[in-house]
């Protein structure tokens, strides 16, 4: 291994960590090799040691019970992740350390020490209990990026209620689907949220979704903007009033290690979004470990993950991972270009952020906005940069490294998924050189491989499917209410391995490069969208008879949504109206960038739409590949000549 590292170091596309970084780093190449080997050879000892650093009310009797495709970790153990994130840190003397520094889009700043956060979470746990929420109940959160989102998540975890956070940019219908699928008892929302100075009426959306879903008993409403809202008698309660009345004494519930911690909805290639279920003990151990190791976390770091808590990145690396480690996190409410593209850099300078974790799509937007924005600020507090959510192109990687990191901060590219719960592939920043564009090596306990559909492992540099050959602690346990879908999607594609749904290759040094989805899932600005979901939204409009959606490479967003629609006879399609309709059905993130109003779609004789050809049309490429299976190959020429709207 070290030979091969020496060898790759000579290649020019490698970027080694600066000697200053490497020297201060906790884990070096030998540590990684030894720990990685142990994590696979003796997972019980390895994970037992990691989990053993945290507090357990009752110790486990068995580290892993694996009955494919169902894993149980830390069997028989009882613990509480919120206790570990808060009480434990206060007990070990971190009570006065800053847990969260929050900045509103309007510049307001609120700071919570570990003691203060614990206080609020205890109060909120009492509020939930007083509203009749008990362990196992589902609670949906539809909130802006405000500290109450973190407090509400931890309060749920504290009493064993299962949180389901729904991104605040989702529409009424998307929210209603998620509330309905989870059969949530309580919805926690806010009067409204700020986004680029505009006010987004969350409570109005919540009211409409509550009516559609029909299952909610209570609604807890945080006051953020002071907008006028309708409070429904007997159902709606103001957060600030309930918090004021609640006591700060609260004992965290001792929960089974496999007690569900949260459901998080994500898009798949078929049907409605699926509720990915994560449980307590394993998720806790893996987010705790990866946060410390991957980000080489030090006591004095200020960590900023720019994701929204509505996505898994926010769950694992704004909330659970950092707080379990007793870290200080910066949390920001708003848009990166508010008031201008200097906002992040201004915040980094003012708060002295040392680790920044963001997405390639944001990096590409910053690149496009120009170096003058970051160059205006002092970014010398930064020591490490991370990327997540989609493949990062080498050009964006280099810009991030040079302009933001001053060629001083390692850039780590982290591959993982909602389903994996924690980072799965990345090179440890102080241990290995990075290869821009390649995520890197597997994390501890991750037995990753590249296979073909027959389950044969491929040679170095051959492209294939990314799989994981054994369970890891933060693996999803099931799809909420649909275990069959869990089996089929993740363990039923290639026998006996977890199928990630991504195409990838591994080079001779063992570095993995993840190329993108191999299913009908788009990645638009780092957000997963199912083509089927958008198609059903389109055909639910009266003017549309049929629709096909594909992705088109986009210089900033990674991919953009392109829709091909057939007009319902007797109607005309209005592209602007159709975009509004998709926004209403799913959310602005799914709005098609380009719409082709077509007279036919390229279908095989058996009626299957050949999306491959649509992708070529969308990208403006020459049609290539065998068109002879098409019922009417001339469709493609007509589509290529169709104006884009
Ligand atoms: C993609 C986000 C390449 C991938 C944590 C995956 C990546 C999907 C990377 C999961 C990366 C995420 N390099 N591709 N570093 N990180 N992806 O569930 O296609 O929102 O399957 O989780 O994003 O997206 P999700």
């Amino acid at each position: 291994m070290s030979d091969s590292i020496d060898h790759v170091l000579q290649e020019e596309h490698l970027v080694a960590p600066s000697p200053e970084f490497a020297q201060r780093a906790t884990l070096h190449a030998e540590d990684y090799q030894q720990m990685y080997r142990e994590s696979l050879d003796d997972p019980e000892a390895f994970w037992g040691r990691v989990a053993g650093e945290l507090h357990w009310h009752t110790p486990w009797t068995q580290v892993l019970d694996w009955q494919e495709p169902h894993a149980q970790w830390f069997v028989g153990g009882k613990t509480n992740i919120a206790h570990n994130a808060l009480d434990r840190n206060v007990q070990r003397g971190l009570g006065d350390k800053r847990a969260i520094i929050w900045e509103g889009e309007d510049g307001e700043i609120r700071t919570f020490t570990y003691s203060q956060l614990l206080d609020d979470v205890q109060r909120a746990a009492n509020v939930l209990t007083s509203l009749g929420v008990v362990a196992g109940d589902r609670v949906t959160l539809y909130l802006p990026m405000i500290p109450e989102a973190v407090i509400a998540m931890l309060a749920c975890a504290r009493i064993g209620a299962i949180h389901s956070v729904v991104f605040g940019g989702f529409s009424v219908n998307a929210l209603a689907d998620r509330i309905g699928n989870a059969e949530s008892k309580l919805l926690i929302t806010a009067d409204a949220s700020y986004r680029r100075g505009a006010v987004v009426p969350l409570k109005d959306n919540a009211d409409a979704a509550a009516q559609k879903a029909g299952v909610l008993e209570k609604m807890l409403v945080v006051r953020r903007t002071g907008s006028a809202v309708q409070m429904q008698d007997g159902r709606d309660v103001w957060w600030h009033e309930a918090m004021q009345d609640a006591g700060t004494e609260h004992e965290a519930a001792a929960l089974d290690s496999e007690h569900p911690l949260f459901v998080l909805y994500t898009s798949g290639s078929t049907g409605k979004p699926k509720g990915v279920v994560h449980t307590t003990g394993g998720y806790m151990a893996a987010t705790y470990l990866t946060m410390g190791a991957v980000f080489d976390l030090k006591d004095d770091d200020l960590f900023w993950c720019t994701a929204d808590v509505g996505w898994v990145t926010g769950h694992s690396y704004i909330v659970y991972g950092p707080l379990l480690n007793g870290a200080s996190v910066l949390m920001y409410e708003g848009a990166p270009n508010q008031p201008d593209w200097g906002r992040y850099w201004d915040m980094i300078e003012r708060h002295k952020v040392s680790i920044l974790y963001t997405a390639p799509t944001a990096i590409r937007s910053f690149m496009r906005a120009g170096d003058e924005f970051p160059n205006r600020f002092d970014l010398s507090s930064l020591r490490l940069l991370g990327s997540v959510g989609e493949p990062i192109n080498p050009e964006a990687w280099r810009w991030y490294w040079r302009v933001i990191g001053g060629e001083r901060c390692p850039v780590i590219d982290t591959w993982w998924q909602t389903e994996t719960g924690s980072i799965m592939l990345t090179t440890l920043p102080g241990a290995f050189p990075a290869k821009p564009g390649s995520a890197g090596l597997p994390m501890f306990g991750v037995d990753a491989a590249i296979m073909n559909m027959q389950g044969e492992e491929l040679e170095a540099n051959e492209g294939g499917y990314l799989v994981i050959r054994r369970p890891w602690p933060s693996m999803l346990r099931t799809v909420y209410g649909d275990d069959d879908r869990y089996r089929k999607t993740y363990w039923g594609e290639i026998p006996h391995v977890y199928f990630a749904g991504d195409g990838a290759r591994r080079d001779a040094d063992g570095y993995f490069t993840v190329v993108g989805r191999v299913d009908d899932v788009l990645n638009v600005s780092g957000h997963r969208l199912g083509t089927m979901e958008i198609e059903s939204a389109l055909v639910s409009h009266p003017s549309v008879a049929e629709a096909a959606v594909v992705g088109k490479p986009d210089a900033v967003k990674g991919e953009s949504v392109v829709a091909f629609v057939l007009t319902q006879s007797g109607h005309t399609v209005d592209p602007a109206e159709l975009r509004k309709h998709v926004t209403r059905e799913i959310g602005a993130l799914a709005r098609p960038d380009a719409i082709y109003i077509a007279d036919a779609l390229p279908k095989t004789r058996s009626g299957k739409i050949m999306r491959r050809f649509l992708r070529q049309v969308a990208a403006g490429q020459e049609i290539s590949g065998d068109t002879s299976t098409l019922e009417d190959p001339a469709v493609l020429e007509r589509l290529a000549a169709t104006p884009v709207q």
Side-chain angles (χ1 to χ4, degrees):
M1 185 74 168
S2 60
D3 274 1
S4 68
I5 292 296
D6 287 347
H7 152 77
V8 291
L9 263 170
Q10 290 154 14
E11 291 179 28
E12 30 171 56
H13 66 286
L14 278 165
V15 182
S18 65
E20 304 79 64
F21 188 95
Q23 239 158 42
R24 248 197 109 202
T26 309
L27 298 175
H28 298 102
E30 318 75 68
D31 303 307
Y32 168 82
Q33 279 144 14
Q34 188 248 318
M35 287 168 75
Y36 183 68
R37 201 171 309 120
E38 191 206 2
S39 72
L40 294 194
D41 292 350
D42 192 355
E44 311 256 322
F46 181 87
W47 287 111
R49 208 172 47 241
V50 172
E53 290 176 19
L54 297 161
H55 172 266
W56 292 75
H57 297 76
T58 309
W60 58 87
T61 52
Q62 193 184 347
V63 170
L64 170 64
D65 177 7
W66 176 228
Q67 315 276 337
E68 187 191 316
H70 294 120
Q72 292 187 63
W73 284 87
F74 310 110
V75 184
K78 287 196 191 313
T79 186
N80 188 292
I81 193 169
H83 174 96
N84 274 295
L86 300 172
D87 311 54
R88 179 177 155 271
N89 285 321
V90 171
Q91 283 157 19
R92 62 190 186 112
L94 300 181
D96 293 334
K97 181 171 176 177
R98 296 176 310 171
I100 297 177
I101 299 135
W102 173 85
E103 183 165 314
E105 201 180 71
D106 56 5
E108 182 188 348
I109 290 173
R110 291 165 70 190
T111 303
F112 295 75
T113 63
Y114 272 88
S115 296
Q116 289 165 338
L117 191 60
L118 172 58
D119 238 46
D120 276 0
V121 170
Q122 286 179 311
R123 266 183 215 276
N126 285 325
V127 169
L128 296 183
T129 306
S130 73
L131 292 175
V133 179
V134 297
D137 283 347
R138 277 77 56 211
V139 175
T140 299
L141 274 60
Y142 183 62
L143 284 165
M145 277 288 288
I146 52 177
E148 285 78 4
V150 180
I151 295 167
M153 287 166 77
L154 291 166
C156 287
R158 205 168 171 89
I159 66 169
I162 304 165
H163 59 70
S164 163
V165 186
V166 176
F167 172 57
F170 274 121
S171 69
V172 170
N173 289 343
L175 174 61
D177 281 350
R178 287 158 175 78
I179 295 171
N181 183 271
E183 296 178 281
S184 292
K185 203 180 210 176
L186 170 72
L187 176 67
I188 308 181
T189 189
D191 49 0
S193 68
Y194 290 121
R195 188 73 186 172
R196 292 201 174 89
V199 172
V200 185
L202 293 185
K203 174 67 163 74
D204 292 351
N205 291 353
D207 285 338
Q211 199 177 20
K212 266 199 105 181
V215 294
L216 286 176
E217 291 173 19
K218 296 277 177 195
M219 208 186 279
L220 199 47
V221 187
V222 179
R223 182 175 277 159
R224 167 64 190 129
T225 60
S227 313
V229 294
Q230 284 281 319
M231 295 294 276
Q232 185 178 310
D233 250 6
R235 185 194 68 182
D236 300 353
V237 179
W238 282 110
W239 169 277
H240 60 273
E241 289 175 4
M243 287 289 276
Q244 209 162 29
D245 298 342
T248 52
E249 298 286 300
H250 186 276
E251 187 83 23
L255 301 168
D256 193 274
S257 176
E258 284 301 328
H259 185 80
L261 174 65
F262 64 85
V263 178
L264 185 56
Y265 287 84
T266 189
S267 295
S269 45
T270 53
K272 295 256 181 203
K274 49 198 171 198
V276 166
V277 176
H278 282 287
T279 59
T280 303
Y283 176 84
M284 176 170 83
T287 50
Y288 168 69
L289 174 73
T290 50
M291 180 70 215
V294 173
F295 296 103
D296 185 40
L297 195 67
K298 308 279 190 246
D299 288 343
D300 56 356
D301 272 318
L302 178 59
F303 180 76
W304 185 17
C305 165
T306 66
D308 191 285
V309 288
W311 311 117
V312 74
T313 307
H315 282 57
S316 301
Y317 299 106
I318 293 176
V319 185
Y320 292 110
L323 298 181
L324 285 167
N325 280 277
S328 298
V329 299
L330 178 65
M331 181 177 180
Y332 171 52
E333 178 183 41
N337 57 347
Q338 190 67 22
D340 63 31
W341 288 104
R343 182 59 180 262
Y344 277 17
W345 323 125
D346 181 24
M347 286 178 63
I348 289 169
E349 176 183 301
R350 279 188 287 110
H351 295 285
K352 300 200 170 30
V353 172
S354 58
I355 307 174
L356 176 67
Y357 191 32
T358 193
T361 184
I363 297 167
R364 291 189 297 261
S365 301
F366 292 130
M367 262 175 90
R368 179 179 271 199
D371 296 10
E372 61 271 24
F373 290 102
N375 287 348
R376 261 195 249 140
F377 298 94
D378 175 7
L379 304 180
S380 62
S381 58
L382 286 171
R383 61 182 204 88
L384 176 61
L385 303 173
S387 171
V388 60
E390 50 174 317
I392 178 164
N393 47 311
E395 196 197 354
W397 194 103
R398 289 193 175 278
W399 184 87
Y400 196 28
W401 181 70
R402 185 172 53 80
V403 179
I404 306 307
E407 302 190 3
R408 173 186 82 249
C409 310
V411 172
I412 47 172
D413 178 5
T414 63
W415 175 88
W416 58 295
Q417 309 177 292
T418 306
E419 293 87 340
T420 71
S422 62
I423 294 168
M424 301 293 275
L425 301 174
T426 191
T427 42
L428 294 181
F432 299 102
K435 300 187 186 187
S438 167
L441 300 171
M443 243 306 98
F444 306 125
V446 176
D447 187 7
I450 305 294
M451 288 184 170
N452 60 21
M453 278 319 262
Q454 286 69 50
E456 291 154 347
E457 195 170 356
L458 301 182
E459 301 285 317
N461 297 317
E462 268 191 279
Y465 300 101
L466 177 58
V467 302
I468 320 275
R469 287 187 284 214
R470 59 166 91 187
W472 61 100
S474 61
M475 177 175 93
L476 83 161
R477 297 301 194 260
T478 188
V479 170
Y480 192 79
D482 195 351
D483 196 55
D484 205 41
R485 190 167 176 196
Y486 164 71
R487 257 172 213 281
K488 286 193 183 129
T489 312
Y490 302 107
W491 295 90
E493 291 282 351
I494 300 177
H496 310 302
V497 296
Y498 169 86
F499 185 78
D502 278 326
R505 59 179 184 273
R506 181 186 209 166
D507 69 15
D509 304 310
Y511 280 49
F512 285 84
T513 297
V514 180
V515 199
R517 302 291 307 187
V518 293
D519 51 12
D520 290 325
V521 172
L522 307 182
N523 192 326
V524 179
S525 301
H527 304 321
R528 270 166 76 169
L529 291 167
T531 50
M532 281 251 316
E533 251 178 293
I534 309 175
E535 288 164 7
S536 8
L538 289 165
V539 295
S540 72
H541 192 274
S543 69
V544 176
E546 202 177 344
V549 166
V550 296
K552 172 185 170 180
D554 182 281
V556 174
K557 299 190 215 178
E559 253 181 324
S560 68
V561 178
V562 178
F564 293 83
V565 298
L566 302 191
T567 312
Q568 187 70 264
S569 67
H571 287 78
T572 41
V573 170
D574 170 3
E577 163 57 23
L578 214 49
R579 288 192 172 92
K580 264 194 226 147
H581 180 71
V582 173
T583 305
R584 269 194 307 269
E585 289 295 310
I586 305 174
L589 69 177
R591 191 171 44 206
D593 274 287
I595 298 177
Y596 290 76
I597 301 171
D599 60 19
L601 296 172
K603 287 185 183 171
T604 60
R605 284 182 193 86
S606 59
K608 189 173 172 291
I609 298 174
M610 298 289 281
R611 287 202 167 65
R612 181 155 50 92
F613 295 127
L614 290 178
R615 277 192 284 271
Q616 294 172 357
V617 171
Q621 294 164 350
E622 284 290 314
I623 302 298
S624 65
D626 182 8
T627 56
S628 66
T629 55
L630 290 179
E631 195 183 10
D632 174 15
V635 167
L636 294 173
E637 282 160 42
R638 293 207 301 281
L639 278 178
T642 304
V644 185
Q645 311 213 43

